[in-house]
Amino acid sequence: MHLRLTASGLAWNDEVPPPRVVACLDSVLRGIGQVMLQDNSYAGLLFLVGILWNSPLFAAGALLGTSVSTATALLLGADRTTVRAGLYGYNGALVAIALLYFLRPDALTWGCVVLAAAGTTILQAAFARMLDTWKLPALTAPFVLVSLCAFLAAARFGRLETTQLLPTAGLPRSVAVEGIVTAATVVQGLFNGVAQVFFQGNVVTGLCFALGLLISSRLACLAALTGSLTGLLVAWGMGAAEPAIRAGAFGFNSTLVAIALAGMLVRGAASTAYTLLATIAAAFVFAALSAALEPLGMPALTFPFVLVTWCCLLASPHFGRLRT
Amino acid sequence: MHLRLTASGLAWNDEVPPPRVVACLDSVLRGIGQVMLQDNSYAGLLFLVGILWNSPLFAAGALLGTSVSTATALLLGADRTTVRAGLYGYNGALVAIALLYFLRPDALTWGCVVLAAAGTTILQAAFARMLDTWKLPALTAPFVLVSLCAFLAAARFGRLETTQLLPTAGLPRSVAVEGIVTAATVVQGLFNGVAQVFFQGNVVTGLCFALGLLISSRLACLAALTGSLTGLLVAWGMGAAEPAIRAGAFGFNSTLVAIALAGMLVRGAASTAYTLLATIAAAFVFAALSAALEPLGMPALTFPFVLVTWCCLLASPHFGRLRT
Amino acid sequence: MHLRLTASGLAWNDEVPPPRVVACLDSVLRGIGQVMLQDNSYAGLLFLVGILWNSPLFAAGALLGTSVSTATALLLGADRTTVRAGLYGYNGALVAIALLYFLRPDALTWGCVVLAAAGTTILQAAFARMLDTWKLPALTAPFVLVSLCAFLAAARFGRLETTQLLPTAGLPRSVAVEGIVTAATVVQGLFNGVAQVFFQGNVVTGLCFALGLLISSRLACLAALTGSLTGLLVAWGMGAAEPAIRAGAFGFNSTLVAIALAGMLVRGAASTAYTLLATIAAAFVFAALSAALEPLGMPALTFPFVLVTWCCLLASPHFGRLRT
């Protein structure tokens, strides 16, 4: 048997390639794992289980989306190693879930899921090329742009019907403090913050995701929970609405920022402080982008994560303490 | 006589340069040709005839705009070869037509046309320098940015009066399917889609433009018509409003995407599929950008073309099948 | 004594470094000077005096902001020479003033000022790295982005209260000419235009700033006044509202563009014309960006300066007449 199970999933001798279907399945699971920046099929499988627990529809969507975007990359002749690491898959997973969440899941929407997943593959390659100038990863930017394009297009395309879950278009205005934060808010918000990375508002799903991270990397798991908690505490301290805090809305971008920076910066006191500052910033940027998109009735998705992480990675070579 | 007529316009011996006025006129016509990415004076002349057929005002504007932006480039000492290929002219042609279309064509507006055309020259050079990092062309980005700047400024400048043709500022909301698409919609939409590249809603003008493309390049002509048709079919299938489909609103960006990619990618099945996907995407991006600009009451112009084409060109080196 | 006073502030022998507190104070003053692109402590001191004259609150904020952003750079191990030139300080000064101006200056806002000033340091490094590809300076982009983020976040954060000075969110629409421009409008607008670089609407403050520029560079002072006047005249000619012209709203971006380009381009007739075109453009871009941000109820701040200057610097190598 030339197939081996390794700590991060399947591997094999290059001389005797594995059955293609097995390799593809492993790539797809790694693609789901890459949503939380884990090149690990077991983590991907657990993430999928977590989604399935919350909603079979979204789990089916995630599988389809990841498969389509991975297949598109193969058909266009993309680099095999990149495909095998799931790097052409994670945006497809996310775009599928988001479209099924915000658009009515009829036949036309499933068609759009296929098209959108293929589109993320092209955007992924475009971002990879552009951001290579500064050695930055594309993160979830392709997912964010393709999803916003689909939701906005619904305003012109009569057959593309949205669910009631998209924000209502309006002009941003100041808010009063709303609701009272209790211990239950904090506990639920903490795990929902992790679950919302895949747009799942479910505590058990959040636990599954945390477990998946633990299997892949203890550091990533710790970073995720700390990030979610930081986002939640910032939102609480600044007077955000309690239902949004409980739903994990202020946590998932901070979660992703923490995972990304913890994995990419050297360890040390300065890096920890820098990452903490970034997770705090992510909560502010989420609030700001949500408000900025209000006149369009659009959600901020994981764009705050993308912007804050790009910025922190771009800045890091200028700061000597983050290099040593 | 050292002047020669070639397949793409005037040429001459470098030792005996032609009368300056002749060279300038040829550059200006090539500039008009470059709106559809054709470095060809005959095509430019036919495009001008097509505009003249629809509106002498716009034809005069296109001539003035192209002349001003070309002259600005010469005065600032830009590279002669680039100027001669019309690459400093096409944004001036477009900005002039757009300003005369959306602003009341009084003396102040004509003054703004001159200023705006000069401005596109500077933006063209700025984009050329920035995008050179990724070997991307500026396309019509300078035109889009300068035009949006002029229209938006009208909200602060009391003497700058808009026509009723700018979209009304409002918040985007979902639409119902509106009107019935007939064979007449398809035929008119097809040619209007080509004509709208210059913001002309006229079937005969569209025919002139297609003829101009044919003279310059059969591939470009085929791509333009296919692109226009694809955009139209996507809009129809997705339930866009019939009057917009008939007017070619969903076609002109796809037309330009098809011309650009057909001319820049290697030929083959994968490239054809890739280009088709891009023209479909352009129709979605046009719908999305139109909605996104609705709170500002701004038109999307050819920005969808710019974004989709940049993205596809950026991504292409990552896909082996597009290279061979 | 190894400390020396030079034409631009303190200097010393490298073998015997100065008392740290003196070096820090000098860096902070240079940071305030860099708001107008002057690496000069005396100019910074005069700018601070000008702000103090108008408002002790803003002067305290400017000092705190510059100190925090400079200290953050030192703690993260940034390049000492860059820190000493005040290049990590000026965005902190501006962000502090802007937050204290547009948010109610309570304890939470002061906390946000500290966080925001630290944030500008990270953004400054990120922009420095990204823009190094095209040899562009970051200008005040970090300040603009962090400030807009804070103001927008107030729409989600109930404890972050805005003052009544933020624009009211609304949809942009065309305006009529409003008010009559007199000699008083022009004189006050000219100096307010310089003062508004620090968001101070005060003629004496503007005079202090002009004096500070004169000490640092006669060319910069001349450019600033010419820029402010050009912005004002464009706004007047185009029919902007008289109160906005008098307040210097159309002048401060043109002021900064003129200072930046006068200091960075070679001298000559073409460069002068180019700079003049840029200051005219800045007034248009300010009008456009103000309108574009209207649905968000956000101010344009110095973003028009950043965009126009980036564009002109990016374009300049393509124009032979600006190089010789």
Side-chain angles (χ1 to χ4, degrees), chain A residues 75 77 129-130 133 156 158-159, chain B residues 134 236-239 294 320-321:
Chain A
L75 287 174
R129 171 112 185 279
M130 191 174 73
T133 309
R156 287 291 178 283
R159 282 193 248 279
Chain B
W134 307 287
W236 184 10
M238 299 300 298
E294 195 150 355
R321 297 262 169 88

Side-chain angles (χ1 to χ4, degrees), chain C residues 16-17 26-27 32 45 86 105 108 119 134 140 251-252 278:
Chain C
V16 189
D26 190 64
S27 300
I32 296 176
L45 187 62
L108 191 66
W134 307 288
T140 54
F252 66 105

Side-chain angles (χ1 to χ4, degrees), chain A residues 26-38:
Chain A
D26 190 65
S27 300
V28 166
L29 288 179
R30 280 172 200 266
I32 296 176
Q34 286 285 9
V35 172
M36 296 234 203
L37 296 98
Q38 306 305 313

